[in-house]
Amino acid sequence: MNLVFLGAPGSGKGTQAMRLAHRLSIPHLSTGDLLRAAVRDNTPLGRDAQKYMAAGELVPDQVIIGLIGEKQAAGELARGFILDGFPRTVPQAEALDALVGDGAGIDRAILLQVDRDEIVRRLSNRLYCEACQVIYGMATNPPRRAGVCDRCGGRLRPRADDAPDVIGHRLDVYRQQSQPVEEYYRTRSLLLMIAGVGTPDQIFSRVAAGLNVSVDA
Ligand code: AMP
């Protein structure tokens, strides 16, 4: 299956995409994770992307389309995929259609809907693992040991772009540049709208039901 997750920052895309990829045994690709890894490794891509990310701006389309193009050329999209955080603009959605070809195409675009107040609450209260990128909501799914990743034991810290002064800007950028992507898939009858509230388990059940897959493998 070729799937994309849409939704504002903090809507739970990463958490749900990771679970679904595990359930369907297909790769999960998060452009945000790839960019954060590039920043951490101080690659040319990372040095280029860092200033946009820190300011809550989108990295330019040609950079991010090139990144996904490399994954496709390496065969990483060949046996199905779940993209999380891409596409974020209409030109990115068009580029993805061109990359995966008309025949294979995108099967579903899953939109996690969460209202703005809840998003601000979540982004202000979350930590991520520097090593494996798992996100913890301090209110909804806290780690078992404070500051330590349950999955890999890595150190948990806030994301620089979850700073209060950047959050509002990221949400505006979403509304202006990424909401049109929802429309792009709606007009193609591919949009699956899911209420992104409740526990991660409850949300996952809705996603699975919407895709007609059972929750357990
Ligand atoms: P995320 O982890 O998905 O919230 O992404 C973190 C940051 O990475 C975003 O705020 C953007 O600066 C950048 N980014 C991630 N994915 C994209 C994309 N598809 N297009 C442009 N910028 C992106």
Side-chain angles (χ1 to χ4, degrees):
M1 244 194 278
N2 296 340
L3 302 169
V4 301
F5 267 91
L6 308 177
S11 58
K13 297 186 297 294
T15 303
Q16 296 299 323
M18 214 179 269
R19 288 179 77 148
L20 189 60
H22 186 253
R23 166 66 189 82
L24 297 175
S25 302
I26 53 177
H28 163 222
L29 282 172
S30 153
T31 43
D33 287 352
L34 293 171
L35 292 171
R36 277 184 290 280
V39 170
R40 197 180 51 226
D41 298 343
N42 196 25
T43 66
L45 168 67
R47 286 194 291 276
D48 193 24
Q50 190 168 24
K51 56 182 181 293
Y52 298 101
M53 296 170 76
E57 299 286 348
L58 295 185
V59 172
D61 281 340
Q62 71 273 17
V63 173
I64 210 88
I65 291 168
L67 185 62
I68 293 293
E70 281 171 22
K71 298 290 169 193
Q72 196 253 0
E76 292 184 34
L77 307 184
R79 56 180 192 91
F81 55 80
I82 298 180
L83 292 174
D84 147 21
F86 181 93
R88 257 177 157 99
T89 63
V90 169
Q92 291 180 18
E94 290 167 348
L96 179 61
D97 278 347
L99 271 178
V100 295
D102 286 339
I106 298 300
D107 294 302
R108 287 302 234 172
I110 304 157
L111 169 64
L112 296 178
Q113 295 182 293
V114 180
D115 72 36
R116 192 177 169 111
D117 287 350
E118 171 66 12
I119 293 271
V120 171
R121 236 188 328 271
R122 285 187 191 176
L123 293 179
S124 321
N125 278 295
R126 71 178 190 177
L127 297 175
Y128 89 108
C129 172
E130 289 178 309
C132 77
Q133 314 274 336
V134 169
I135 296 261
Y136 293 87
M138 300 321 286
T140 47
N141 61 327
R144 286 191 291 270
R145 273 181 58 206
V148 181
C149 179
D150 291 349
R151 195 191 196 200
C152 76
R155 192 162 63 109
L156 302 182
R157 46 178 279 178
R159 272 172 49 171
D161 57 352
D162 285 344
D165 52 333
V166 185
I167 290 176
H169 185 59
R170 287 168 69 204
L171 292 175
D172 291 342
V173 167
Y174 183 83
R175 187 167 40 79
Q176 288 157 11
Q177 300 190 52
S178 303
Q179 254 174 14
V181 178
E182 298 174 10
E183 210 45 45
Y184 181 91
Y185 289 112
R186 195 192 318 273
T187 56
R188 287 160 179 75
S189 303
L190 295 175
L191 194 69
L192 173 63
M193 289 189 288
I194 300 289
V197 289
T199 65
D201 281 350
Q202 288 167 335
I203 300 165
F204 187 66
S205 298
R206 285 178 213 134
V207 171
L211 293 172
N212 277 325
V213 297
S214 64
V215 172
D216 303 308

